Amino acid sequence: MAITSPTAGTLTPAPVMKALASNYLDFTSAADGWAKQYMPDVMAQEAEAFGNRTMAGFLRQVGAEEAMTSDQVIWSEQGRLHLAYKGRVGHDDHQDGSSGGDGGQIVIEQDMDGNVVETTHGIRKNDLLLIADSNTTAVVIVTNDPQTTPTDTIRVAVYDNNPETLAGLGFADGAGDDTTGLTILVIGSEYAKGAEGRTGQNEPTHKTYTNKPIILKDKYSVSGSDAAQIGWVEVSSEDGTGGYLWYVKAEAETRLRFNDYLEMSMLETVKGSSTAADSSTDDFLQANNGHQGLFNAIETRGNQTSGVTGVNAATDLAEFDAILAELDKNGGIEENMMFVNRATALAMDDMLASMNSYGAGGTSYGVFDNSEDMALNLGFSGFRRGSYDFYKSDWKYLNQLDGRGGINATNTVGAIRGVMVPAGTSSVYDQMLGRNLTRPFLHVRYRASETDNRYLKTWVTGSVGAVTSDLDAMEVHYLSERALVTQGANNFFLMN
Protein backbone atom coordinates (compact mmCIF):
# COMPACT_ATOMS: atom_id res chain seq x y z
CA MET A 1 0.00 0.00 0.00
CA ALA A 2 1.08 3.56 -0.45
CA ILE A 3 2.20 5.40 2.69
CA THR A 4 1.83 9.10 3.00
CA SER A 5 3.89 10.76 5.71
CA PRO A 6 1.74 12.62 8.24
CA THR A 7 2.28 16.15 9.35
CA ALA A 8 4.97 16.66 11.95
CA GLY A 9 3.82 16.00 15.49
CA THR A 10 0.83 13.83 14.50
CA LEU A 11 2.41 10.36 15.03
CA THR A 12 0.06 7.99 16.87
CA PRO A 13 1.39 4.66 18.16
CA ALA A 14 -0.66 1.72 16.99
CA PRO A 15 -1.85 -0.82 19.58
CA VAL A 16 -0.84 -3.64 17.28
CA MET A 17 2.07 -4.26 14.94
CA LYS A 18 0.41 -2.80 11.89
CA ALA A 19 1.86 -0.60 9.19
CA LEU A 20 -0.32 2.53 9.12
CA ALA A 21 0.26 6.00 7.88
CA SER A 22 -0.26 7.34 11.41
CA ASN A 23 2.59 5.33 13.05
CA TYR A 24 5.15 5.34 10.30
CA LEU A 25 8.43 6.89 11.51
CA ASP A 26 10.35 8.58 8.76
CA PHE A 27 13.97 8.64 9.91
CA THR A 28 14.86 10.90 6.99
CA SER A 29 12.45 13.61 8.03
CA ALA A 30 14.00 16.43 10.02
CA ALA A 31 10.53 17.62 10.90
CA ASP A 32 9.66 14.56 13.00
CA GLY A 33 12.68 15.09 15.26
CA TRP A 34 12.13 11.77 17.05
CA ALA A 35 15.19 10.01 15.60
CA LYS A 36 17.25 13.12 16.11
CA GLN A 37 16.34 13.30 19.78
CA TYR A 38 16.07 9.67 20.83
CA MET A 39 18.18 7.68 18.37
CA PRO A 40 21.49 9.41 17.68
CA ASP A 41 23.63 8.06 14.90
CA VAL A 42 26.36 5.99 16.56
CA MET A 43 29.33 5.12 14.37
CA ALA A 44 30.34 1.65 15.46
CA GLN A 45 33.93 1.83 14.27
CA GLU A 46 36.57 3.73 16.25
CA ALA A 47 38.49 6.33 14.28
CA GLU A 48 42.27 5.91 14.49
CA ALA A 49 42.91 9.62 14.99
CA PHE A 50 46.56 9.09 16.02
CA GLY A 51 47.40 6.16 13.75
CA ASN A 52 49.46 3.40 15.29
CA ARG A 53 49.93 4.68 18.84
CA THR A 54 52.49 2.17 20.14
CA MET A 55 56.13 3.23 20.34
CA ALA A 56 57.85 -0.05 21.25
CA GLY A 57 59.99 -1.94 18.78
CA PHE A 58 63.37 -0.17 18.88
CA LEU A 59 65.05 -2.67 21.20
CA ARG A 60 63.69 -5.61 19.24
CA GLN A 61 65.39 -4.25 16.11
CA VAL A 62 68.84 -3.63 17.56
CA GLY A 63 69.19 -6.06 20.46
CA ALA A 64 68.50 -9.45 21.90
CA GLU A 65 66.69 -10.70 24.99
CA GLU A 66 68.23 -13.16 27.42
CA ALA A 67 67.25 -14.60 30.78
CA MET A 68 69.09 -13.87 34.02
CA THR A 69 68.73 -15.25 37.54
CA SER A 70 70.46 -12.66 39.76
CA ASP A 71 69.75 -9.22 41.17
CA GLN A 72 72.27 -7.60 38.87
CA VAL A 73 74.09 -8.17 35.61
CA ILE A 74 77.86 -7.62 35.54
CA TRP A 75 79.95 -7.47 32.40
CA SER A 76 83.53 -6.54 31.59
CA GLU A 77 84.79 -4.62 28.57
CA GLN A 78 88.33 -4.88 27.25
CA GLY A 79 90.68 -1.97 27.69
CA ARG A 80 92.88 -0.56 24.94
CA LEU A 81 95.68 -2.81 23.75
CA HIS A 82 98.43 -0.21 23.45
CA LEU A 83 99.80 1.96 26.24
CA ALA A 84 99.00 5.61 25.58
CA TYR A 85 98.73 8.39 28.14
CA LYS A 86 98.36 12.10 28.76
CA GLY A 87 100.87 13.89 30.96
CA ARG A 88 103.22 16.81 31.47
CA VAL A 89 106.91 17.61 31.74
CA GLY A 90 108.50 17.87 35.20
CA HIS A 91 111.36 20.22 36.12
CA ASP A 92 113.36 18.54 38.88
CA ASP A 93 116.46 17.44 36.94
CA HIS A 94 118.61 18.39 33.98
CA GLN A 95 118.27 16.51 30.75
CA ASP A 96 121.80 15.22 31.36
CA GLY A 97 120.76 13.79 34.74
CA SER A 98 122.39 16.37 37.03
CA SER A 99 120.24 17.87 39.73
CA GLY A 100 118.93 21.37 40.20
CA GLY A 101 117.89 22.15 36.64
CA ASP A 102 114.96 21.68 34.28
CA GLY A 103 113.60 18.88 32.15
CA GLY A 104 114.30 15.19 31.91
CA GLN A 105 111.07 14.07 33.57
CA ILE A 106 107.60 13.14 32.41
CA VAL A 107 104.67 13.00 34.82
CA ILE A 108 101.91 10.56 33.83
CA GLU A 109 98.41 11.85 34.58
CA GLN A 110 95.69 10.02 32.62
CA ASP A 111 95.20 7.36 30.01
CA MET A 112 93.66 8.24 26.64
CA ASP A 113 90.14 7.71 27.99
CA GLY A 114 90.58 10.15 30.86
CA ASN A 115 91.13 7.63 33.66
CA VAL A 116 93.59 8.69 36.34
CA VAL A 117 96.65 6.38 36.14
CA GLU A 118 99.29 8.36 38.02
CA THR A 119 100.46 5.28 39.93
CA THR A 120 99.04 2.49 37.78
CA HIS A 121 100.44 3.14 34.32
CA GLY A 122 102.38 0.44 32.46
CA ILE A 123 105.55 2.31 31.42
CA ARG A 124 108.84 0.57 32.39
CA LYS A 125 112.56 1.19 32.15
CA ASN A 126 114.02 1.03 28.60
CA ASP A 127 110.63 1.66 27.00
CA LEU A 128 110.70 3.78 23.87
CA LEU A 129 108.17 6.59 24.03
CA LEU A 130 106.81 8.77 21.27
CA ILE A 131 105.83 12.05 22.92
CA ALA A 132 104.28 15.16 21.46
CA ASP A 133 102.89 18.52 22.46
CA SER A 134 101.26 21.10 20.20
CA ASN A 135 104.62 22.03 18.61
CA THR A 136 107.06 19.13 18.80
CA THR A 137 107.18 15.35 18.45
CA ALA A 138 110.17 13.33 19.67
CA VAL A 139 111.29 9.81 20.60
CA VAL A 140 112.65 9.30 24.13
CA ILE A 141 113.83 6.34 26.17
CA VAL A 142 112.92 5.70 29.80
CA THR A 143 116.14 5.71 31.87
CA ASN A 144 114.83 4.69 35.28
CA ASP A 145 112.59 2.07 36.74
CA PRO A 146 109.44 3.98 37.76
CA GLN A 147 109.12 1.70 40.79
CA THR A 148 112.24 3.28 42.33
CA THR A 149 110.75 6.77 42.30
CA PRO A 150 107.20 8.10 42.56
CA THR A 151 105.51 5.96 39.93
CA ASP A 152 103.87 8.89 38.19
CA THR A 153 107.28 10.42 37.39
CA ILE A 154 109.46 8.96 34.65
CA ARG A 155 112.99 10.11 33.82
CA VAL A 156 113.68 10.07 30.10
CA ALA A 157 116.47 10.86 27.64
CA VAL A 158 115.74 12.48 24.28
CA TYR A 159 117.43 10.74 21.34
CA ASP A 160 117.49 13.96 19.39
CA ASN A 161 119.42 16.19 21.78
CA ASN A 162 118.75 19.13 19.49
CA PRO A 163 118.17 22.29 21.57
CA GLU A 164 115.08 23.09 19.51
CA THR A 165 113.58 19.71 20.35
CA LEU A 166 114.43 20.11 24.04
CA ALA A 167 113.00 23.62 24.12
CA GLY A 168 109.89 22.60 22.20
CA LEU A 169 109.10 19.86 24.72
CA GLY A 170 109.95 22.05 27.70
CA PHE A 171 113.06 20.03 28.58
CA ALA A 172 115.53 22.90 28.08
CA ASP A 173 117.38 24.45 31.00
CA GLY A 174 115.63 27.46 32.42
CA ALA A 175 112.16 26.34 31.29
CA GLY A 176 109.38 27.89 33.30
CA ASP A 177 106.12 26.20 34.17
CA ASP A 178 105.54 22.54 33.47
CA THR A 179 104.65 21.78 29.88
CA THR A 180 101.16 20.29 29.92
CA GLY A 181 99.10 18.44 27.37
CA LEU A 182 101.70 15.86 26.39
CA THR A 183 100.56 12.76 24.51
CA ILE A 184 102.72 9.76 25.36
CA LEU A 185 102.73 6.50 23.38
CA VAL A 186 104.83 3.41 24.11
CA ILE A 187 106.26 2.21 20.76
CA GLY A 188 108.74 -0.45 21.86
CA SER A 189 111.98 -0.79 23.85
CA GLU A 190 115.77 -0.73 23.40
CA TYR A 191 118.43 -2.54 25.44
CA ALA A 192 122.24 -2.51 25.37
CA LYS A 193 124.12 -5.73 24.80
CA GLY A 194 124.23 -7.87 27.91
CA ALA A 195 121.78 -5.63 29.76
CA GLU A 196 119.36 -6.99 32.31
CA GLY A 197 115.94 -8.07 31.12
CA ARG A 198 112.56 -6.65 31.80
CA THR A 199 111.37 -5.73 35.28
CA GLY A 200 107.71 -6.23 36.03
CA GLN A 201 104.93 -6.97 33.59
CA ASN A 202 101.72 -5.45 32.32
CA GLU A 203 98.40 -7.07 33.04
CA PRO A 204 95.45 -6.70 30.65
CA THR A 205 93.16 -3.86 31.64
CA HIS A 206 89.39 -4.03 31.59
CA LYS A 207 86.42 -2.10 32.83
CA THR A 208 83.58 -3.69 34.73
CA TYR A 209 80.03 -2.35 34.59
CA THR A 210 76.84 -3.37 36.33
CA ASN A 211 73.15 -2.76 35.96
CA LYS A 212 70.20 -4.06 37.91
CA PRO A 213 66.77 -5.13 36.75
CA ILE A 214 63.80 -2.99 37.68
CA ILE A 215 60.34 -4.32 38.41
CA LEU A 216 57.47 -2.78 36.44
CA LYS A 217 53.82 -3.34 37.37
CA ASP A 218 50.41 -2.30 36.10
CA LYS A 219 46.80 -3.41 36.56
CA TYR A 220 43.43 -3.20 34.83
CA SER A 221 40.19 -3.63 36.75
CA VAL A 222 36.52 -3.80 35.81
CA SER A 223 33.62 -4.46 38.18
CA GLY A 224 31.59 -7.61 37.86
CA SER A 225 28.47 -5.61 37.07
CA ASP A 226 30.12 -3.72 34.23
CA ALA A 227 31.65 -6.95 32.96
CA ALA A 228 28.10 -8.22 32.39
CA GLN A 229 26.99 -5.12 30.50
CA ILE A 230 26.45 -5.60 26.79
CA GLY A 231 27.95 -2.85 24.72
CA TRP A 232 29.86 -3.49 21.54
CA VAL A 233 32.24 -1.34 19.54
CA GLU A 234 34.08 -2.48 16.46
CA VAL A 235 37.77 -1.79 16.93
CA SER A 236 41.08 -2.38 15.22
CA SER A 237 44.23 -2.86 17.28
CA GLU A 238 47.86 -1.89 16.69
CA ASP A 239 48.92 -5.52 16.56
CA GLY A 240 46.81 -6.12 13.43
CA THR A 241 43.83 -7.77 15.10
CA GLY A 242 40.26 -6.48 15.00
CA GLY A 243 36.76 -7.29 16.09
CA TYR A 244 34.04 -6.33 18.59
CA LEU A 245 35.10 -5.54 22.15
CA TRP A 246 33.76 -3.74 25.16
CA TYR A 247 35.63 -3.89 28.45
CA VAL A 248 38.37 -6.01 26.83
CA LYS A 249 39.13 -2.97 24.68
CA ALA A 250 40.31 -1.03 27.73
CA GLU A 251 42.32 -4.02 28.93
CA ALA A 252 43.99 -4.31 25.54
CA GLU A 253 45.04 -0.66 25.68
CA THR A 254 46.43 -1.15 29.18
CA ARG A 255 48.50 -4.06 27.90
CA LEU A 256 49.78 -2.05 24.90
CA ARG A 257 50.66 0.87 27.16
CA PHE A 258 52.53 -1.46 29.53
CA ASN A 259 54.52 -2.88 26.61
CA ASP A 260 55.55 0.67 25.72
CA TYR A 261 56.56 1.26 29.35
CA LEU A 262 58.87 -1.74 29.13
CA GLU A 263 60.83 -0.07 26.34
CA MET A 264 60.59 3.52 27.55
CA SER A 265 62.02 2.56 30.94
CA MET A 266 64.97 0.84 29.27
CA LEU A 267 65.70 4.06 27.37
CA GLU A 268 65.09 6.83 29.88
CA THR A 269 65.92 5.60 33.39
CA VAL A 270 68.97 6.71 35.37
CA LYS A 271 70.76 5.32 38.38
CA GLY A 272 69.79 6.90 41.68
CA SER A 273 71.94 8.28 44.45
CA SER A 274 72.45 6.25 47.61
CA THR A 275 73.00 9.46 49.59
CA ALA A 276 69.79 11.31 48.81
CA ALA A 277 69.27 14.52 50.75
CA ASP A 278 65.60 13.75 51.24
CA SER A 279 65.44 11.18 54.01
CA SER A 280 61.98 10.07 52.89
CA THR A 281 63.41 8.65 49.68
CA ASP A 282 66.84 7.71 50.95
CA ASP A 283 65.84 4.22 52.08
CA PHE A 284 64.22 3.44 48.75
CA LEU A 285 67.21 4.67 46.74
CA GLN A 286 69.68 2.76 48.87
CA ALA A 287 67.67 -0.42 48.38
CA ASN A 288 66.96 0.05 44.66
CA ASN A 289 69.42 2.62 43.27
CA GLY A 290 67.69 2.85 39.92
CA HIS A 291 68.53 1.45 36.51
CA GLN A 292 70.76 2.90 33.80
CA GLY A 293 68.87 3.29 30.55
CA LEU A 294 70.30 3.72 27.08
CA PHE A 295 70.37 7.52 26.95
CA ASN A 296 72.10 7.85 30.33
CA ALA A 297 74.62 5.13 29.41
CA ILE A 298 75.59 7.01 26.24
CA GLU A 299 75.76 10.33 28.08
CA THR A 300 78.12 8.94 30.73
CA ARG A 301 80.16 6.43 28.73
CA GLY A 302 79.57 7.20 25.06
CA ASN A 303 79.71 10.07 22.58
CA GLN A 304 77.42 13.00 21.88
CA THR A 305 77.01 15.16 18.79
CA SER A 306 74.94 18.27 18.19
CA GLY A 307 76.22 19.14 14.72
CA VAL A 308 73.65 17.51 12.41
CA THR A 309 71.17 20.38 12.40
CA GLY A 310 69.99 20.81 8.80
CA VAL A 311 71.03 24.48 8.78
CA ASN A 312 73.89 23.87 6.35
CA ALA A 313 74.53 20.67 4.42
CA ALA A 314 78.29 21.19 4.28
CA THR A 315 78.41 21.70 8.06
CA ASP A 316 76.38 18.55 8.59
CA LEU A 317 78.77 16.56 6.42
CA ALA A 318 81.72 17.96 8.37
CA GLU A 319 80.03 16.79 11.56
CA PHE A 320 79.77 13.28 10.14
CA ASP A 321 83.47 13.44 9.36
CA ALA A 322 84.04 14.31 13.03
CA ILE A 323 81.90 11.30 13.98
CA LEU A 324 84.09 9.14 11.74
CA ALA A 325 87.16 10.43 13.54
CA GLU A 326 85.69 9.42 16.89
CA LEU A 327 84.79 5.99 15.54
CA ASP A 328 88.37 5.59 14.35
CA LYS A 329 89.65 6.45 17.83
CA ASN A 330 87.50 3.72 19.33
CA GLY A 331 88.15 1.01 16.76
CA GLY A 332 84.74 1.79 15.30
CA ILE A 333 82.26 -0.74 14.01
CA GLU A 334 81.87 -0.53 10.22
CA GLU A 335 78.06 -0.63 10.14
CA ASN A 336 75.94 1.69 12.26
CA MET A 337 72.19 2.17 12.65
CA MET A 338 70.81 5.68 13.18
CA PHE A 339 67.36 6.11 14.72
CA VAL A 340 66.38 9.78 14.47
CA ASN A 341 63.45 12.15 14.69
CA ARG A 342 61.86 13.73 11.65
CA ALA A 343 63.88 16.96 11.62
CA THR A 344 67.20 15.13 11.81
CA ALA A 345 66.12 12.65 9.14
CA LEU A 346 65.28 15.51 6.78
CA ALA A 347 68.57 17.23 7.61
CA MET A 348 70.45 14.09 6.57
CA ASP A 349 68.38 13.82 3.38
CA ASP A 350 69.22 17.42 2.50
CA MET A 351 72.89 16.80 3.27
CA LEU A 352 73.04 13.79 0.97
CA ALA A 353 70.98 15.43 -1.78
CA SER A 354 73.36 18.40 -1.84
CA MET A 355 76.22 16.04 -2.67
CA ASN A 356 74.65 15.52 -6.11
CA SER A 357 76.24 18.01 -8.47
CA TYR A 358 73.11 18.14 -10.64
CA GLY A 359 70.67 18.63 -7.81
CA ALA A 360 71.00 22.40 -7.60
CA GLY A 361 70.20 22.89 -11.28
CA GLY A 362 67.09 20.73 -11.39
CA THR A 363 65.88 17.18 -11.23
CA SER A 364 68.59 14.57 -11.41
CA TYR A 365 67.70 11.20 -12.90
CA GLY A 366 69.63 8.05 -12.31
CA VAL A 367 71.66 9.21 -9.32
CA PHE A 368 68.63 8.81 -7.08
CA ASP A 369 67.48 5.71 -8.99
CA ASN A 370 64.57 7.75 -10.41
CA SER A 371 63.09 7.73 -13.87
CA GLU A 372 61.30 10.50 -15.71
CA ASP A 373 58.01 8.64 -15.25
CA MET A 374 58.08 8.41 -11.46
CA ALA A 375 58.09 10.84 -8.55
CA LEU A 376 61.45 12.10 -7.42
CA ASN A 377 62.68 10.30 -4.30
CA LEU A 378 64.50 12.71 -1.99
CA GLY A 379 64.75 10.34 0.94
CA PHE A 380 67.78 8.22 1.77
CA SER A 381 67.83 5.09 3.89
CA GLY A 382 71.61 4.92 4.14
CA PHE A 383 74.96 6.07 2.85
CA ARG A 384 78.65 5.22 3.02
CA ARG A 385 81.28 7.70 4.16
CA GLY A 386 84.93 6.71 4.40
CA SER A 387 84.97 3.07 5.45
CA TYR A 388 81.69 3.26 7.41
CA ASP A 389 78.12 2.43 6.44
CA PHE A 390 75.25 4.35 8.05
CA TYR A 391 71.61 3.24 7.88
CA LYS A 392 68.90 5.71 8.81
CA SER A 393 65.44 5.04 10.21
CA ASP A 394 62.74 7.30 11.65
CA TRP A 395 62.05 6.71 15.34
CA LYS A 396 58.45 7.39 16.26
CA TYR A 397 59.24 7.71 19.95
CA LEU A 398 61.26 10.86 19.26
CA ASN A 399 58.44 12.41 17.22
CA GLN A 400 55.21 11.69 19.09
CA LEU A 401 53.84 14.34 21.41
CA ASP A 402 53.06 11.76 24.09
CA GLY A 403 56.61 10.37 23.80
CA ARG A 404 60.04 12.00 23.73
CA GLY A 405 58.74 14.40 21.10
CA GLY A 406 56.75 16.29 23.74
CA ILE A 407 59.74 16.46 26.10
CA ASN A 408 62.01 17.64 23.27
CA ALA A 409 59.53 20.39 22.35
CA THR A 410 59.66 21.69 25.93
CA ASN A 411 63.42 21.36 26.51
CA THR A 412 64.86 22.18 23.10
CA VAL A 413 68.37 22.69 24.49
CA GLY A 414 68.52 19.22 26.01
CA ALA A 415 66.51 17.51 23.26
CA ILE A 416 67.49 14.03 22.11
CA ARG A 417 67.15 13.92 18.32
CA GLY A 418 68.53 10.46 17.66
CA VAL A 419 70.93 7.69 18.58
CA MET A 420 73.53 5.86 16.55
CA VAL A 421 73.91 2.21 17.50
CA PRO A 422 76.70 -0.07 16.22
CA ALA A 423 75.44 -3.06 14.31
CA GLY A 424 77.07 -6.36 15.16
CA THR A 425 78.21 -8.17 18.26
CA SER A 426 80.85 -7.84 20.96
CA SER A 427 82.81 -10.46 22.85
CA VAL A 428 82.67 -9.87 26.60
CA TYR A 429 83.43 -11.81 29.75
CA ASP A 430 80.27 -12.77 31.62
CA GLN A 431 80.95 -12.73 35.37
CA MET A 432 77.99 -14.98 36.13
CA LEU A 433 78.76 -17.66 33.56
CA GLY A 434 82.53 -17.37 33.90
CA ARG A 435 83.31 -17.30 30.18
CA ASN A 436 83.45 -15.06 27.13
CA LEU A 437 80.21 -14.63 25.22
CA THR A 438 79.33 -12.92 21.96
CA ARG A 439 76.25 -10.73 22.18
CA PRO A 440 74.75 -7.68 20.45
CA PHE A 441 76.08 -4.43 21.86
CA LEU A 442 72.59 -3.71 23.14
CA HIS A 443 70.38 -6.34 24.73
CA VAL A 444 67.77 -6.80 27.45
CA ARG A 445 68.20 -9.23 30.33
CA TYR A 446 65.01 -10.38 32.05
CA ARG A 447 64.62 -12.27 35.32
CA ALA A 448 63.69 -15.94 34.90
CA SER A 449 64.20 -19.28 36.59
CA GLU A 450 62.90 -22.82 36.21
CA THR A 451 59.80 -21.94 38.22
CA ASP A 452 59.05 -18.37 37.22
CA ASN A 453 59.58 -16.31 34.06
CA ARG A 454 59.27 -12.57 34.68
CA TYR A 455 59.76 -11.46 31.07
CA LEU A 456 56.10 -10.42 30.92
CA LYS A 457 53.69 -12.00 33.40
CA THR A 458 49.92 -11.54 33.30
CA TRP A 459 47.34 -13.09 35.62
CA VAL A 460 43.66 -12.56 36.43
CA THR A 461 42.12 -12.34 39.90
CA GLY A 462 38.59 -11.68 41.17
CA SER A 463 35.18 -13.30 40.78
CA VAL A 464 34.63 -12.79 37.05
CA GLY A 465 35.31 -15.87 34.96
CA ALA A 466 37.52 -18.18 37.01
CA VAL A 467 36.75 -17.25 40.63
CA THR A 468 39.90 -16.60 42.66
CA SER A 469 38.54 -14.30 45.40
CA ASP A 470 35.34 -12.68 46.70
CA LEU A 471 36.16 -9.45 44.86
CA ASP A 472 33.21 -8.50 42.66
CA ALA A 473 35.51 -7.50 39.80
CA MET A 474 38.01 -8.78 37.34
CA GLU A 475 41.60 -7.58 37.77
CA VAL A 476 44.28 -8.21 35.16
CA HIS A 477 47.83 -7.79 36.50
CA TYR A 478 51.01 -7.16 34.52
CA LEU A 479 54.60 -7.53 35.74
CA SER A 480 58.08 -7.54 34.24
CA GLU A 481 61.59 -7.48 35.69
CA ARG A 482 64.33 -6.52 33.27
CA ALA A 483 67.58 -4.63 32.74
CA LEU A 484 69.31 -3.12 29.71
CA VAL A 485 72.94 -3.98 28.97
CA THR A 486 74.76 -1.32 26.93
CA GLN A 487 78.11 -2.81 25.99
CA GLY A 488 80.81 -0.76 24.30
CA ALA A 489 79.03 2.55 24.85
CA ASN A 490 82.13 4.27 23.43
CA ASN A 491 80.84 3.15 20.01
CA PHE A 492 77.41 4.79 20.50
CA PHE A 493 76.42 8.36 19.65
CA LEU A 494 73.64 10.45 21.13
CA MET A 495 72.36 13.21 18.83
CA ASN A 496 71.20 16.22 20.81
Side-chain angles (χ1 to χ4, degrees):
M1 66 179 180
I3 297 178
T4 302
S5 298
T7 305
T10 61
L11 290 176
T12 303
V16 295
M17 295 178 64
K18 189 173 183 180
L20 302 173
S22 58
N23 68 352
Y24 170 66
L25 183 62
D26 186 358
F27 288 100
T28 63
S29 173
D32 292 340
W34 190 91
K36 182 178 180 181
Q37 181 176 359
Y38 297 105
M39 295 184 64
D41 185 10
V42 179
M43 298 182 65
Q45 187 170 5
E46 246 183 357
E48 297 180 357
F50 296 100
N52 188 324
R53 296 167 296 167
T54 60
M55 293 177 287
F58 167 75
L59 292 177
R60 286 195 294 269
Q61 293 184 56
V62 299
E65 296 173 330
E66 298 179 0
M68 61 181 293
T69 58
S70 302
D71 284 330
Q72 65 175 341
V73 54
I74 306 175
W75 71 96
S76 299
E77 298 179 4
Q78 293 176 341
R80 294 184 182 273
L81 179 62
H82 298 285
L83 304 180
Y85 304 100
K86 291 290 187 179
R88 59 182 173 83
V89 172
H91 291 292
D92 293 334
D93 295 307
H94 278 295
Q95 164 63 26
D96 61 10
S98 60
S99 61
D102 300 309
Q105 288 185 346
I106 294 176
V107 180
I108 305 299
E109 297 176 320
Q110 298 177 334
D111 64 14
M112 299 305 291
D113 297 313
N115 302 306
V116 177
V117 291
E118 291 180 346
T119 60
T120 57
H121 62 79
I123 297 178
R124 295 167 288 175
K125 183 179 180 180
N126 290 98
D127 275 347
L128 294 178
L129 309 180
L130 185 65
I131 62 176
D133 63 6
S134 58
N135 300 308
T136 307
T137 298
V139 176
V140 303
I141 185 169
V142 179
T143 60
N144 74 299
D145 188 341
Q147 295 178 353
T148 64
T149 63
T151 53
D152 63 337
T153 303
I154 299 171
R155 188 171 293 112
V156 298
V158 182
Y159 277 86
D160 178 8
N161 206 31
N162 188 311
E164 293 183 1
T165 303
L166 298 177
L169 292 172
F171 284 163
D173 289 348
D177 297 334
D178 292 353
T179 301
T180 60
L182 284 183
T183 297
I184 304 154
L185 173 64
V186 179
I187 60 172
S189 61
E190 182 180 6
Y191 283 82
K193 292 181 179 181
E196 296 180 355
R198 276 290 197 188
T199 58
Q201 68 282 331
N202 284 319
E203 298 291 338
T205 60
H206 67 274
K207 298 177 182 179
T208 300
Y209 300 100
T210 67
N211 210 355
K212 59 172 289 295
I214 55 173
I215 301 174
L216 298 96
K217 295 182 179 180
D218 207 340
K219 183 183 75 171
Y220 172 76
S221 179
V222 60
S223 70
S225 177
D226 287 341
Q229 180 178 343
I230 299 176
W232 302 94
V233 176
E234 184 180 3
V235 299
S236 59
S237 181
E238 277 78 0
D239 60 4
T241 61
Y244 296 91
L245 304 171
W246 176 64
Y247 66 89
V248 182
K249 164 63 177 175
E251 187 274 333
E253 291 206 355
T254 303
R255 182 187 298 264
L256 288 171
R257 186 164 50 247
F258 186 70
N259 280 328
D260 282 354
Y261 288 161
L262 297 183
E263 179 156 303
M264 294 162 68
S265 62
M266 296 295 99
L267 301 174
E268 299 282 5
T269 50
V270 298
K271 285 192 173 182
S273 170
S274 59
T275 58
D278 185 357
S279 59
S280 64
T281 62
D282 190 55
D283 292 341
F284 177 84
L285 291 176
Q286 287 185 4
N288 297 274
N289 202 29
H291 166 274
Q292 187 176 49
L294 175 63
F295 295 156
N296 184 247
I298 301 177
E299 287 174 349
T300 56
R301 297 188 279 122
N303 307 286
Q304 299 185 63
T305 174
S306 58
V308 185
T309 61
V311 176
N312 184 282
T315 303
D316 289 345
L317 186 62
E319 181 64 18
F320 264 100
D321 290 344
I323 292 175
L324 264 59
E326 289 299 320
L327 292 175
D328 288 340
K329 294 177 183 179
N330 292 283
I333 310 302
E334 182 178 354
E335 294 186 336
N336 296 272
M337 298 292 299
M338 297 181 297
F339 298 87
V340 296
N341 68 358
R342 177 61 65 187
T344 306
L346 294 177
M348 292 182 185
D349 288 342
D350 292 342
M351 175 193 74
L352 296 172
S354 70
M355 298 300 104
N356 174 30
S357 59
Y358 301 98
T363 302
S364 172
Y365 301 104
V367 176
F368 297 127
D369 196 25
N370 294 309
S371 68
E372 296 183 7
D373 299 326
M374 66 178 291
L376 183 65
N377 179 15
L378 292 178
F380 298 83
S381 60
F383 63 96
R384 184 175 181 85
R385 180 71 171 171
S387 59
Y388 295 94
D389 292 315
F390 299 95
Y391 304 99
K392 174 172 65 71
S393 176
D394 290 332
W395 192 0
K396 190 195 322 187
Y397 176 61
L398 299 181
N399 292 322
Q400 289 197 178
L401 199 60
D402 55 348
R404 247 291 170 171
I407 298 295
N408 289 344
T410 301
N411 182 12
T412 56
V413 176
I416 294 177
R417 300 181 293 115
V419 296
M420 191 175 76
V421 180
T425 58
S426 61
S427 179
V428 295
Y429 182 78
D430 192 298
Q431 298 279 4
M432 299 300 176
L433 298 179
R435 57 190 175 91
N436 283 329
L437 295 175
T438 300
R439 293 194 178 98
F441 283 92
L442 201 63
H443 63 273
V444 174
R445 305 292 289 271
Y446 59 91
R447 197 77 177 267
S449 66
E450 295 180 356
T451 58
D452 191 24
N453 188 325
R454 296 166 71 84
Y455 173 76
L456 177 55
K457 293 182 62 176
T458 60
W459 67 95
V460 179
T461 61
S463 61
V464 178
V467 179
T468 60
S469 70
D470 60 356
L471 180 67
D472 184 20
M474 179 187 75
E475 293 186 341
V476 184
H477 303 263
Y478 313 91
L479 181 145
S480 181
E481 187 172 1
R482 56 183 57 205
L484 183 70
V485 176
T486 308
Q487 296 173 348
N490 56 300
N491 292 295
F492 288 68
F493 273 84
L494 193 66
M495 298 179 179
N496 46 32

